[in-house]
Amino acid sequence: MNEPIYQLALGNDFTKLAPELQEYFSLAAGSGSYGIGEGVFDVVGCQQKWLRPLLALTGSEEAFFPEYGEGIPFRIENHAHVDPFGRQALTARREIYFPSGTRLFHDTTSAIITPQTGSVTPAPIRLVDHVGRYRRLVTDLDVSALPNGRLRGVSKASRLFLGPLRIPLPAALDAKAFAEQWWDENEGKHRIQVKVIQPQIGVVLVYAGRFDYRLAPYLAGAAQGTSLPRYAEPDRWEKRI
């Protein structure tokens, strides 16, 4: 049975989320639908000018980017699926429409079952996020439901997969993401705020804004069963976590 990965990770705490967030995070593989969000980022990108040339070197990874802007329109698609290794997953594909051109930023979050020998309780679920075009950056994701109905996500230990190498990033170098998503009753819109912070240099990436969200059915032949539509697939999948 396919279940929404955030519901698997949060368990009973999933019901603490605002109803609109429960709906947003309830997309499951095989449902026949995908999510579309369209809105505006109040701020998005790298605020530190000196850092932008360095981020330009990683632009082809489609994870970080050197641009910065305010009032920037964007679109996000959420696709629930089973990844090539049999894991329940959610792929988010973001298009950010800077005046200089469109940036693509995407990732796949997978639910990983942690085996427990001899235990009668359900195996705990952890979320692991594979980021970018080649899914070379991998991070553990800790999610929680806040008392005010918001979802909070914090990235934990990260590692790089370069060919056969698995390179854990030491705490002094690792950039951590801090995210909150909530429903704004006054505006009738979803809101999101994300900051990626590196201990030595500060905020590397930020995006915050609001958007409308809806579900749309897959066109016939666009996604077979629980697979990911071809245009939303990364250039490379990574099995390792």
Side-chain angles (χ1 to χ4, degrees):
M1 179 178 179
N2 299 316
E3 296 184 60
I5 64 169
Y6 283 85
Q7 189 170 345
L8 287 171
L10 288 171
N12 293 334
D13 283 351
F14 187 79
T15 60
K16 296 179 181 179
L17 297 175
E20 293 81 5
L21 260 68
Q22 292 184 45
E23 181 180 8
Y24 181 93
F25 289 106
S26 288
L27 201 59
S31 66
S33 299
Y34 65 105
I36 301 173
E38 294 176 304
V40 175
F41 282 132
D42 300 320
V43 295
V44 58
C46 179
Q47 295 174 309
Q48 302 194 64
K49 292 182 179 180
W50 68 269
L51 186 57
R52 294 174 192 169
L54 296 177
L55 292 180
L57 300 175
T58 67
S60 63
E61 293 287 330
E62 296 178 350
F64 296 98
F65 43 86
E67 291 87 355
Y68 173 78
E70 300 178 1
I72 303 298
F74 73 96
R75 172 188 170 94
I76 181 173
E77 290 186 7
N78 289 331
H79 297 274
H81 59 101
V82 177
D83 74 13
F85 317 109
R87 304 178 294 216
Q88 297 289 326
L90 183 71
T91 289
R93 184 180 188 274
R94 305 165 190 84
E95 295 178 349
I96 306 169
Y97 306 116
F98 289 105
S100 58
T102 300
R103 281 289 181 184
L104 186 64
F105 171 38
H106 50 117
D107 65 307
T108 296
T109 305
S110 301
I112 308 298
I113 300 175
T114 304
Q116 288 185 305
T117 304
S119 175
V120 296
T121 60
I125 302 293
R126 58 189 277 229
L127 297 183
V128 174
D129 198 32
H130 291 73
V131 182
R133 179 178 177 182
Y134 305 104
R135 302 303 197 254
R136 280 194 270 248
L137 176 63
V138 182
T139 186
D140 296 319
L141 184 61
D142 184 21
V143 294
S144 58
L146 301 181
N148 57 7
R150 299 184 178 194
L151 179 81
R152 177 172 171 80
V154 179
S155 69
K156 309 204 74 161
S158 299
R159 48 267 181 207
L160 287 173
F161 289 100
L162 302 177
L165 300 179
R166 183 185 191 275
I167 307 174
L169 297 180
L173 298 177
D174 195 5
K176 296 190 179 299
F178 300 87
E180 279 195 20
Q181 186 166 331
W182 68 98
W183 174 254
D184 190 317
E185 293 186 356
N186 295 327
E187 293 191 347
K189 293 181 181 292
H190 288 272
R191 297 287 300 269
I192 188 167
Q193 176 176 291
V194 177
K195 287 185 177 181
V196 179
I197 301 175
Q198 204 280 336
Q200 309 302 322
I201 61 180
V203 178
V204 176
L205 180 70
V206 61
Y207 57 93
R210 66 210 72 205
F211 61 96
D212 298 306
Y213 189 74
R214 69 186 189 276
L215 296 178
Y218 285 114
L219 298 176
Q224 299 297 324
T226 57
S227 64
L228 188 63
R230 184 172 298 269
Y231 71 88
E233 290 183 353
D235 282 15
R236 173 180 169 273
W237 290 102
E238 175 57 68
K239 181 178 182 179
R240 295 168 295 176
I241 58 173

